[in-house]
Amino acid sequence: MKLSKSRISQYRILNSDDSFSKYLLETARFTEASLFTFLEKYKKIVIKPAFGMGEIFVSTENNKFKVLSEMNRAILMDKEELYEYISMNELKHKHHIIQPSRQNSGFFQSPFHYYITVHRKSPTAEWLYISSTEKYSTLSDKYFYMFFIKKMKKISILAAKKLGESFPDCHTVVIDITYDLKGRIWIQDTMLHFQKSKWSQFQILSSNYSISPFVPQTNLLTKATFNEYLNNYNNIVIKPCVGKHGSGIIKITKTDPITYEIHTVRTKQTKPSIDETFDFIHTIYFSKPHLVQEGLPLLEINGCPLDVRVITQKVDSSWKVTGKIVKVAGNGFFITNASQKLLNLNQALQSSNLSMTNSEQLEYEIDSICISASKLFEENHPDIHIIGFDIGISPQGDIWIIEGNYRPDLAMFLDLEDKDTYMYIRKIIKSRTKPTD
């Protein structure tokens, strides 16, 4: 039977190891009975969906119950009324869990909050600590972080190892972990990043010294990283860890010291502060984990940005580039998923604002980068045989790997006047599925 990837399932896997019990928050399925039980034991609780994002905080104060979520605030007089309100107004998913909340409980008890990313290069490789992402930036945390990071790393690696035994096709795990100044550490959540996750792809590519220069700076989206990236780059892109067809991608631009432009698909609006900008996009768009990435200066044709879709395929025992097509974004769009035209690479480079003249060398570098990246992806996922890379090019000829897709859409190649590329890609696919004697 396929093992569930839900929060309650992951909690049970970790809780089965006695050495983890002291680091785990008590967790149960949300029911009327579990709500009443937790309210007897804890002054503050949090309710989360079994899958995905979204938190509902409940606290007890003066024999009343205060409910706080992204969209609502309410005060209820008794437990029965509280349960009815939550069930009718707050629950957006089929299944939920309930936990004690460790938020806002005084300076020495209030936890400092991090996402710890742990990754393994292949199904049989050792788990390694990759990075820590601060959720909320606090000046005091800078002084205590060094005393806790070693222990947080150790706990996170052990948690990933335990989860990896049950989910062998997962090679990136994010541990939501907190600590307080009394030395207590809790695992608040664990997030599995599988093959389709852009965060998992980033770990694969950025860990290789020859490919990492072609990978945009990227991190998990938190309030701290949002502020950091906007201050460093002025122009950033927010994208879901798992998504397709450009859905949910947002561009944020710092237009002056106090004004921020939010560009979603074709619409634009401005906010007067960085806090209001983050609160707006967090409330409206984030029902699942997102990444923050530096904005890339892409080649343009008549003011419209473009990128290159590069298809690589495993032919016999070698990776080869079997097709390239350029997608030009429509007027008013900043992503090429809504493309106004499709061109071959030579046509696009000649019509663009590219400043370099050696287009043959540029194409050779693109092919070389994509083949090297394909080999890295194969190490992590040995079953893949076709990848569709989205490659960005700057006006100066810099090359960026925007992302890779293990099930690329090939229909766009049919829109080219010359159908030979499409037929060649399909021929290789058919040769792999042809039955052998």
Side-chain angles (χ1 to χ4, degrees), residues 116 129 148-158:
I116 305 293
Y129 163 82
F148 290 91
I149 184 59
K150 185 176 180 180
K151 191 172 183 180
M152 288 195 295
K153 287 180 182 179
K154 181 179 178 181
I155 293 170
S156 298
I157 289 173
L158 291 174

Side-chain angles (χ1 to χ4, degrees), residues 203 264 291 395 432:
Q203 307 313 319
T264 61
L291 301 177
R432 292 188 58 88

Side-chain angles (χ1 to χ4, degrees), residues 152-352:
M152 288 195 295
K153 287 180 182 179
K154 181 179 178 181
I155 293 170
S156 298
I157 289 173
L158 291 174
K161 185 176 181 181
K162 186 70 176 177
L163 292 169
E165 293 171 357
S166 298
F167 302 99
D169 54 340
C170 176
H171 301 143
T172 303
V173 178
V174 175
I175 312 297
D176 183 343
I177 197 166
T178 61
Y179 67 86
D180 67 17
L181 298 187
K182 290 188 174 183
R184 296 175 295 189
I185 293 179
W186 301 278
I187 294 176
Q188 299 218 108
D189 203 355
T190 52
M191 290 157 276
L192 308 176
H193 287 257
F194 291 88
Q195 191 179 74
K196 293 181 180 180
S197 170
K198 295 178 178 66
W199 186 233
S200 187
Q201 286 191 15
F202 176 75
Q203 307 313 319
I204 296 169
L205 297 176
S206 61
S207 63
N208 182 275
Y209 74 94
S210 63
I211 291 296
S212 59
F214 307 105
V215 182
Q217 289 297 310
T218 305
N219 207 335
L220 294 168
L221 176 65
T222 67
K223 181 67 176 292
T225 58
F226 181 81
N227 291 355
E228 175 192 352
Y229 271 57
L230 261 180
N231 288 330
N232 288 344
Y233 302 110
N234 292 328
N235 178 14
I236 63 174
V237 173
I238 308 297
K239 57 178 66 175
C241 289
V242 178
K244 56 184 180 179
H245 306 310
S247 176
I249 297 180
I250 310 163
K251 181 180 178 182
I252 313 291
T253 304
K254 184 177 181 180
T255 56
D256 61 51
I258 60 170
T259 307
Y260 299 84
E261 181 184 81
I262 303 170
H263 192 173
T264 61
V265 192
R266 296 190 67 174
T267 63
K268 295 181 181 180
Q269 57 182 299
T270 59
K271 295 293 178 181
S273 73
I274 194 169
D275 288 339
E276 287 189 46
T277 305
F278 180 81
D279 290 344
F280 173 79
I281 62 176
H282 185 271
T283 300
I284 301 298
Y285 296 102
F286 299 160
S287 59
K288 51 188 176 182
H290 278 63
L291 301 177
V292 58
Q293 193 172 80
E294 63 173 307
L296 301 176
L298 296 179
L299 276 183
E300 296 179 347
I301 294 178
N302 298 325
C304 298
L306 63 86
D307 61 32
V308 188
R309 169 59 61 90
V310 180
I311 302 295
T312 63
Q313 291 175 275
K314 191 75 176 290
V315 182
D316 297 326
S317 59
S318 301
W319 283 94
K320 296 182 179 180
V321 173
T322 56
K324 286 190 285 288
I325 192 170
V326 172
K327 300 172 291 178
V328 183
N331 290 321
F333 289 86
F334 68 93
I335 56 175
T336 62
N337 299 79
S339 56
Q340 62 166 307
K341 64 174 68 173
L342 299 167
L343 304 169
N344 66 45
L345 184 57
N346 287 332
Q347 288 176 322
L349 294 180
Q350 291 173 10
S351 303
S352 73

